[in-house]
Amino acid sequence: MEVVVPRARVYVGLSDLGAPVCGIVGLLGQGPVNTRIYDALTVLQHRGQDAAGIATVHRGRVLMRKGNGLVKDVFRSRHMRDLEGNLGIGHVRYPTAGRANSAESQPFYVNSPYGFVLGHNGNLTNADELKRELVQRGNRHLNTESDSEVLLNVLASELERSAGGPLTTEAVFQAVAGLHRRCRGAYAVVAMVPDFGMIAFRDPHGIRPLVFGRQYSDEGVEYMVSSESVALDALGFELERDVAPGEAVIFQRNGEVHAQQCADDPQLRPCLFELVYLARPDSLMDGISVYKSRLRMGDKLAAKIQRVWHDHDIDVVIPVPDTSRSAAIQVAHHLGAKYREGFIKNRYIGRTFIMPGQQIRKRSVRQKLNAIGLEFRGKSVLLVDDSIVRGTTSGQIIQMAREAGATSVYFASAAPPVRYPNVYGIDMPSADELIAYDRTEDEVCEAIGADRLFYLDLDDLRAAGSEGNPDIGSFEDSVFSGSYVTGDVDTAYLNELQAHRNDAAKQDRLEDTERDEQDVIAAPVTP
């Protein structure tokens, strides 16, 4: 569905995207899983730095700890000791809606039916409609603004409908099928039921990633679910496969595994921006090596530069750390230019995109990166970044290169222009804060202060991904194309999204959160 974003005022020089979506993990082990889930969440920390949570099951009780901050800040030794049991799930959160307070941290728990816990990565596009339905007709209470709590309650209502007694695999499959019929948008989910086991499922388009693997111990087989395969690698699990779009996979406590397709018309349309920026390069997603896809992006970007500027004067290619390194290496190779690291990154500065207020974001870019003068002085420099979203980071980096002595500064993006908001779990700015919205490429070049600007073409980006898995016919690439795969996103929806996502609205929610924020204390929950 092609959507025309309404015209609105355009801001020059706003901060670039710098924060990923959420990460989920589930583990059914033969021994304690608490520290292993902690380790997995640290590996997935790049997917969410706002909050973290772990829930485990021990002797029929759900034990939970969650709060704002990095994994290492939320969990102390005393919290880990309390999280007993051999079944658990974990979550790292990057907020895409609602307030950034710890009440909205995941996992979420509901006591009826059966008492289950859920972690969700993605975003429901019909969350408001579902909220009204759950409250008015389902008599359910929603305690947060999170669409993940909506998803939790939809699954609860479907389980109540499908299961009349002890929970069965067939009842779970029927419940997930019912959820697919009601929910629209993106959702990769891991859930657990105390006396039953672990459940993983993915929306019918497979927009957000989800994989599972197994490991054999002296006591028997163990199973793990994760947003990215790199977490399986870190814990010594062997990647089994991706959860298919629309599929539900059940890992029972007795060691049995059951899988069933629960959607009427599943079509794999994974998020293309995962390959561009969100995922770690050492992950495999839907059969695609993220690292190799980024190398191919560099190959195709270099080919475009050679095609439109065969007599270039580029002396050195410098990546904007960190995601663009793979592409930049290939660009330098094909252009016959030197590849150099020209910026040193301070890894102790938070992601600029999630910081409130434009002045704070601008200051953070300078604190985050420092130029190595000798790599710029007297040279024509091509800077390579994974994408350009708001434009502030790009503009400031270009200015830093000039201050370091570069005679010419060119800029290349390993992705096409980002002109449309994301509605499937990435909290990109509202349309009027995207620098490429309602601008030509020449106008973007002028706005960020580059001497020349190069974007990777969308067809080339799609090819860079699909060459890793020819079975993928198409991607969810709405931020570049304006085409939303779920078919339910219209101008009215985008107008509402814009009002919710602009800087002023985010600042208001931050101030509200600061007034009433309280930590969520770890406590056992009795089903």
Side-chain angles (χ1 to χ4, degrees), residues 29 144 161 176 184 192 227 246 262 289 321 381 405 430 432 483 485 499:
T144 72
R161 182 177 298 140
V176 174
R184 295 193 298 272
M192 65 177 184
S227 292
C262 300
S289 164
V381 177
S430 59
D432 63 350
S483 179
V485 299

Side-chain angles (χ1 to χ4, degrees), residues 98-109:
R99 296 183 182 181
N101 64 31
S102 54
E104 301 205 3
S105 305
Q106 297 185 46
F108 283 133
Y109 167 84

Side-chain angles (χ1 to χ4, degrees), residues 9-20:
R9 63 189 186 279
V10 177
Y11 296 97
V12 179
L14 295 176
S15 174
D16 280 303
L17 177 72

Side-chain angles (χ1 to χ4, degrees), residues 209-454:
L210 194 63
V211 299
F212 69 91
R214 70 181 69 204
Q215 176 178 259
Y216 294 94
S217 68
D218 293 339
E219 291 79 20
V221 65
E222 300 180 312
Y223 296 98
M224 181 176 172
V225 176
S226 174
S227 292
E228 295 188 32
S229 64
V230 64
L232 303 182
D233 298 339
L235 270 65
F237 280 73
E238 181 179 350
L239 174 65
E240 186 79 9
R241 62 178 176 86
D242 298 88
V243 176
E247 182 185 35
V249 184
I250 299 171
F251 307 88
Q252 289 190 275
R253 300 202 72 158
N254 62 11
E256 295 181 5
V257 178
H258 307 269
Q260 183 172 303
Q261 179 54 250
C262 300
D264 294 331
D265 185 27
Q267 298 179 2
L268 181 59
R269 301 284 296 273
C271 175
L272 191 54
F273 208 76
E274 290 274 0
L275 300 179
V276 171
Y277 174 80
L278 299 176
R280 270 183 46 158
D282 44 348
S283 282
L284 291 170
M285 290 182 165
D286 295 301
I288 301 171
S289 164
V290 177
Y291 173 69
K292 287 188 176 181
S293 72
R294 290 175 183 168
L295 291 178
R296 291 190 291 268
M297 292 173 203
D299 294 336
K300 296 176 187 301
L301 181 59
K304 178 175 182 178
I305 295 172
Q306 290 174 316
R307 186 171 64 250
V308 301
W309 193 24
H310 65 277
D311 57 344
H312 70 82
D313 64 348
I314 298 167
D315 297 315
V316 61
V317 175
I318 294 176
V320 178
D322 289 312
T323 322
S324 61
R325 283 195 173 101
S326 302
I329 288 172
Q330 295 302 99
V331 169
H333 170 72
H334 291 296
L335 296 183
K338 294 179 181 179
Y339 171 88
R340 291 291 186 268
E341 293 286 341
F343 295 103
I344 299 301
K345 185 175 183 179
N346 181 350
R347 301 184 184 280
Y348 302 98
I349 297 294
R351 301 259 184 174
T352 57
F353 179 63
I354 62 174
M355 293 182 178
Q358 176 62 7
Q359 293 305 315
I360 296 177
R361 280 197 291 261
K362 285 183 176 180
R363 188 170 66 248
S364 295
V365 174
R366 290 281 181 166
Q367 293 173 337
K368 191 174 184 178
L369 294 177
N370 188 51
I372 302 175
L374 60 88
E375 297 296 351
F376 293 91
R377 200 167 298 121
K379 299 176 183 177
S380 294
V381 177
L382 175 66
L383 302 177
V384 178
D385 207 350
D386 52 75
S387 58
I388 306 171
V389 180
R390 290 180 184 255
T392 289
T393 299
S394 305
Q396 290 193 63
I397 288 172
I398 289 168
Q399 183 61 33
M400 290 169 67
R402 294 194 190 283
E403 292 171 359
T407 56
S408 299
V409 182
Y410 313 117
F411 204 91
S413 166
V418 176
R419 292 196 166 103
Y420 305 91
N422 184 281
V423 302
Y424 299 124
I426 308 172
D427 192 20
M428 281 189 175
S430 59
D432 63 350
E433 294 170 355
L434 298 171
I435 195 166
Y437 169 65
D438 205 27
R439 274 193 174 96
T440 66
E441 293 184 17
D442 287 342
E443 289 171 336
V444 174
C445 181
E446 181 180 359
I448 64 176
D451 293 308
R452 292 192 73 152
L453 173 64
F454 306 93

